[in-house]
């Protein structure tokens, strides 16, 4: 990465013990939009102030903006691949879109750090937003998901994680990312009634030792098969940091899915494979025990751009960019299929691109 390239937000943060996920919608008034824009310049300082209180606490925050919110807050130019969350579904299975203009992904090794930062960030937004979903996630033993399997094993790491998550083909948005979130609720009684060997065929890995099942026994409907993408002979990965959450007293057992990528396309392809099936009908059996109750796609600007966005005037930008801006302000959501017209995932070559 050249030295003068924008600093990314903390997308590639270490796996932590705790996380808070907040999704909010914007208020209707112009004063609210002014507040949110001004807030963009304050986020980094608030993370620093709260984080300094526990230097080893790994506190970080990633902020993302939904498609309609981007236009209202910042106008043109807009991130090339930002659009409303695409819904996928067949039969009983639906990846639904739910309202959301702003996403906060707060991570730390202590919940008090996450809690304090969430309090500061949301407090400063005040009446400019309405929080529509807030989930407090925790690490479950040795990085196990709510369904008892280790989660995150096949995540890219190091340089590979940067290559798979940072935008490098949209010059105004270099080192930004796209992020999809979905809140899943599990039917744990039904899941726990499955013998472990059957659960392992659903996930595609062994439960205790977290080893990938042999290709000879791993069904093509397994979660790991349907979420493994290969394009031009190369695997296309995303970066996940799912967190279990729940309220046992209310019978709530959930997984908060969060996936970062340099384009929404690979995540959308995975969702289509899981919900519709590959081929259609050969769907992810994890969905027989899990229901998505939220869904959102957000663009995460680089940290430098986030700060600069405080100065944006969407009207001025639109006037300057003329018709292009008007066209970009109301992108039509594409239908269920995530693939580009040429059938590719439209994610560009990962090799040989300048970082
Ligand atoms: C792998 C759990 C939803 C994408 C895994 C693994 C587990 C898991 C246990 C195996 C270990 C690992 O490599 O991380 C879950 C649960 C979900 C969920 C409990 C919610 C009900 C999703 C969604 C996507 C996704 C919605 C994408 C849109 C992936 C990918 C892998 C994976 C890419 C790695 C596949 C590989 O390379 O082998 N997940 N997952 N997961 N999951 Fe999920």
């Amino acid at each position: 990465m050249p030295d003068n390239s924008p600093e990314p937000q903390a997308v590639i943060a270490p796996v932590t013990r705790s996380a808070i996920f907040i999704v909010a919608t914007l208020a209707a008034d112009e004063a609210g939009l002014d507040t949110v824009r001004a807030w963009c310049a304050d986020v980094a300082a608030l993370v620093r102030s709260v984080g300094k209180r526990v230097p080893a606490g790994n506190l970080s925050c990633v902020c993302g903006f939904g498609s309609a919110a981007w236009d209202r807050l910042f106008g043109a130019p807009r991130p090339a691949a930002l659009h409303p969350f695409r819904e996928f579904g067949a039969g009983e299975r639906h990846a639904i879109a739910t309202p959301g203009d702003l996403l906060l992904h707060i991570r730390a090794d202590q919940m008090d750090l996450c809690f304090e930062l969430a309090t500061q960030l949301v407090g400063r937004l005040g009446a400019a937003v309405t929080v529509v979903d807030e989930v407090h996630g925790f690490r479950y033993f040795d990085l196990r998901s709510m369904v008892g399997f280790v989660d995150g094993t096949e995540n890219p790491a190091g340089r590979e994680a940067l290559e798979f998550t940072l935008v490098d083909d949209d010059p105004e948005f270099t080192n930004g990312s796209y992020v999809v979130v979905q809140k899943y609720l599990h039917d744990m009684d039904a899941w726990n009634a499955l013998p472990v060997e059957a659960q392992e065929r659903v996930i595609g890995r062994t439960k205790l030792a977290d080893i990938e099942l042999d290709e000879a026994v791993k069904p093509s409907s397994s979660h790991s098969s349907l979420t493994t993408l290969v394009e031009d002979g190369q695997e296309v990965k995303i970066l996940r940091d799912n967190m279990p959450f729940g309220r046992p007293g209310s019978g709530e057992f959930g997984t908060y899915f969060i996936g970062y990528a340099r384009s929404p396309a690979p995540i959308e392809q995975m969702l289509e494979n899981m919900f519709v099936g590959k081929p259609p009908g050969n769907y992810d059996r994890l969905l027989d025990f899990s229901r998505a109750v939220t869904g959102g796609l957000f663009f995460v600007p680089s940290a430098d751009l986030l700060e600069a966005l405080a100065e944006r005037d969407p009207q001025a930008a639109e006037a300057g960019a003329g018709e292009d801006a008007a066209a970009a302000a109301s992108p039509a959501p594409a239908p269920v299929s995530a693939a580009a017209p040429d059938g590719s995932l439209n994610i560009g070559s990962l090799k040989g691109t300048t970082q």
Side-chain angles (χ1 to χ4, degrees), residues 109-308:
D109 280 322
Q110 301 178 193
M111 186 48 96
D112 56 357
L113 280 172
C114 297
F115 189 89
E116 176 64 15
L117 183 58
T119 304
Q120 296 290 343
L121 289 171
V122 171
R124 200 163 287 210
L125 287 166
V129 303
T130 304
V131 173
V132 289
D133 191 37
E134 173 171 345
V135 169
H136 293 207
F138 60 90
R139 183 191 290 184
Y140 200 27
F141 298 109
D142 38 350
L143 296 175
R144 290 188 184 261
S145 61
M146 186 54 82
V147 293
F149 284 72
V150 175
D151 197 359
T153 314
E154 297 294 346
N155 262 335
R159 187 180 174 77
E160 220 195 5
L162 297 172
E163 286 178 2
F164 281 119
T165 54
L166 299 184
V167 170
D168 70 350
D169 55 357
D170 188 3
E172 310 258 18
F173 299 100
T174 299
N175 287 350
S177 298
Y178 292 87
V179 59
V180 165
V181 293
Q182 285 183 301
K183 177 164 141 180
Y184 284 90
L185 298 177
H186 305 292
D187 179 347
M188 290 306 291
D189 289 341
W191 175 253
N192 287 331
L194 271 193
V196 168
E197 290 73 18
Q199 292 182 355
E200 291 179 334
R201 286 193 295 276
V202 170
I203 300 291
R205 306 182 72 90
T206 60
K207 192 168 186 180
L208 181 64
D210 183 32
I211 307 288
E212 191 177 355
L213 293 188
D214 196 276
E215 287 301 328
V217 289
K218 186 164 94 168
S220 59
S221 64
S222 75
H223 181 63
S224 85
S225 304
L226 291 171
T227 55
T228 298
L229 303 182
V230 177
E231 179 154 284
D232 296 334
Q234 300 219 345
E235 201 170 327
V236 179
K237 296 194 171 201
I238 66 171
L239 185 69
R240 297 161 288 127
D241 199 358
N242 301 352
M243 278 277 176
F245 68 90
R247 291 178 300 160
S250 309
E252 181 188 85
F253 298 92
T255 298
Y256 202 88
F257 166 80
I258 183 160
Y260 290 95
R262 62 201 292 272
S263 145
I267 310 178
E268 289 168 346
Q269 185 65 63
M270 289 173 189
L271 288 175
E272 187 175 1
N273 293 352
M274 288 174 64
F275 282 79
V276 179
K278 187 183 170 198
N282 189 42
Y283 67 91
D284 189 332
R285 299 308 192 268
L286 191 51
L287 299 175
D288 288 343
F289 308 90
S290 318
R291 187 164 54 93
V293 295
T294 70
L297 168 67
F298 303 86
F299 179 73
V300 174
S302 68
D304 292 334
L305 178 57
L306 178 66
E307 200 176 330

Side-chain angles (χ1 to χ4, degrees), residues 20-35:
I20 294 182
F21 305 89
I22 290 176
V23 173
T25 53
L26 299 176
D29 58 314
E30 283 300 319
L33 300 182
D34 288 342
T35 302

